[in-house]
Amino acid sequence: SHLRDARQAWINEFHYDNAGTDQGEMVEIAGPVGLNLIGWRLIGYNGNGGKAYSTHSLSGAITASSGCTGTLAFAFPGLQNGPRDAIALVNPDNRVVEFLSYEGAMTATDGVAVGLRTVDVGVAESSTTPVGYSLQRQGAGVVGTDFTWGGPIPHTGGWINTQQSFVSGCGQADLYGCGANPIGSMLLHSGSPSIGSTFGIGIHNPLNTQAVGASVLLAVSPAAPPGFPCGLALPGFSMRSPAASGELLVHPNMLVVSAPVWNGAPSVLGLAIPNNLALVGSQAYFQGACLSPGASNGITIGLTEGMRIVVGR
């Protein structure tokens, strides 16, 4: 069985070039307090050819910088100076959470990010950038995409950035199951399950075993399924093959709602939590399903992993 933190980290700050010999190359990671970065990696990609050139394994649990969000900074000696060089942040499921580049966009040609196109941060350092400066995300939010990139300005490695504020983000989300349903089929796509906020659940077929345009459903229950974190084996409800069993991971006392169709990327459904203190600490359990009646490979219904949330404030 497995129970894994579904919350994601992001690249919050980095430094790669300065006047004279480069000093203090680093990448800062931000994310929810308590998120353990064991198993996470930073991978440098060369814009000339698109190949990975350096991998750094991360460790340590994120501690608070502000509220329920914090940062950890990691040295990255030899972080290349561009143009079009990139950094991939990879989670323990071997999924690329972010793929950012500087001084232009690029496409990876090998490694875990092969075929992925970067997002250019839109700001850059140069051979005249003062020592001790960095590029930083700024603004207010609780996930990486809430912020915009600025700089170079004096670095804040290991602490909240200049002109940045973390809001909310105190909810907990865990993925669970016993391995019948594929890792990456359910994810916390955005936000945090906290009162007064909206968070996004992503439902995905990472094996691409069903037809694009498949219908998507999300089941939610206030009670844990029998046998949690395992579930009930259902023959013919697998994303892996028609003969395999899927694992039902929600309690029979469930509500089922429709989500956007699956088009090869996670189908995202936004869920709003009322701003009610009485909800803090309450739990809910989720599971998705992709329905593809016309699938030529015989996989009609594919079940996802489960997700448990604990509402924060």
Side-chain angles (χ1 to χ4, degrees):
S1 64
H2 59 261
L3 188 67
R4 310 188 319 278
D5 199 326
R7 299 173 299 171
Q8 299 292 353
W10 66 86
I11 297 171
N12 199 50
E13 177 182 359
F14 65 97
H15 166 64
Y16 67 93
D17 195 9
N18 56 253
T21 303
D22 289 343
Q23 300 180 36
E25 298 105 312
M26 56 78 71
V27 179
E28 178 189 81
I29 304 301
V33 169
L35 180 64
N36 195 323
L37 295 179
I38 291 177
W40 290 71
R41 291 171 290 156
L42 288 168
I43 303 176
Y45 274 84
N46 193 326
N48 183 11
K51 295 184 180 299
Y53 68 88
S54 183
T55 298
H56 293 259
S57 297
L58 309 185
S59 62
I62 293 178
T63 55
S65 291
S66 176
C68 296
T69 307
T71 61
L72 281 177
F74 298 90
F76 200 125
L79 187 60
Q80 293 186 349
N81 287 352
R84 298 184 306 280
D85 291 327
I87 309 164
L89 175 62
V90 182
N91 72 9
D93 294 336
N94 207 37
R95 187 169 67 87
V96 178
V97 174
E98 279 202 306
F99 194 25
L100 302 180
S101 61
Y102 41 96
E103 302 184 33
M106 59 158 285
T107 300
T109 58
D110 71 358
V112 66
V114 63
L116 296 182
R117 186 75 173 169
T118 61
V119 174
D120 186 357
V121 299
V123 291
E125 296 181 322
S126 72
S127 59
T128 62
T129 297
V131 172
Y133 278 47
S134 68
L135 305 179
Q136 304 175 19
R137 271 178 155 145
Q138 300 174 326
V142 68
V143 295
T145 51
D146 290 334
F147 306 100
T148 56
W149 284 95
I153 56 178
H155 83 83
T156 57
W159 197 249
I160 191 169
N161 294 337
T162 303
Q163 298 180 31
Q164 182 178 47
S165 61
F166 296 141
V167 296
S168 186
C170 300
Q172 176 68 40
D174 296 302
L175 297 168
Y176 66 89
C178 286
N181 306 334
I183 288 176
S185 54
M186 173 76 86
L187 61 148
L188 183 65
H189 183 271
S190 58
S192 172
S194 304
I195 58 171
S197 65
T198 298
F199 68 102
I201 286 184
I203 301 165
H204 190 31
N205 183 336
L207 306 178
N208 294 308
T209 51
Q210 289 171 290
V212 168
S215 300
V216 176
L217 298 176
L218 178 68
V220 56
S221 174
F228 173 85
C230 296
L232 175 67
L234 294 182
F237 282 71
S238 173
M239 287 185 179
R240 300 186 188 279
S241 71
S245 292
E247 191 175 18
L248 181 65
L249 292 165
V250 285
H251 194 277
N253 178 21
M254 70 177 82
L255 172 68
V256 178
V257 296
S258 296
V261 299
W262 181 73
N263 282 318
S267 171
V268 181
L269 183 64
L271 300 174
I273 300 178
N275 191 14
N276 183 347
L277 283 172
L279 295 174
V280 173
S282 60
Q283 300 185 42
Y285 298 81
F286 300 87
Q287 183 173 27
C290 290
L291 285 68
S292 184
S296 59
N297 58 9
I299 300 176
T300 302
I301 302 176
L303 294 175
T304 71
E305 289 191 294
M307 180 186 292
R308 176 186 67 179
I309 66 161
V310 182
V311 176
R313 59 181 297 174

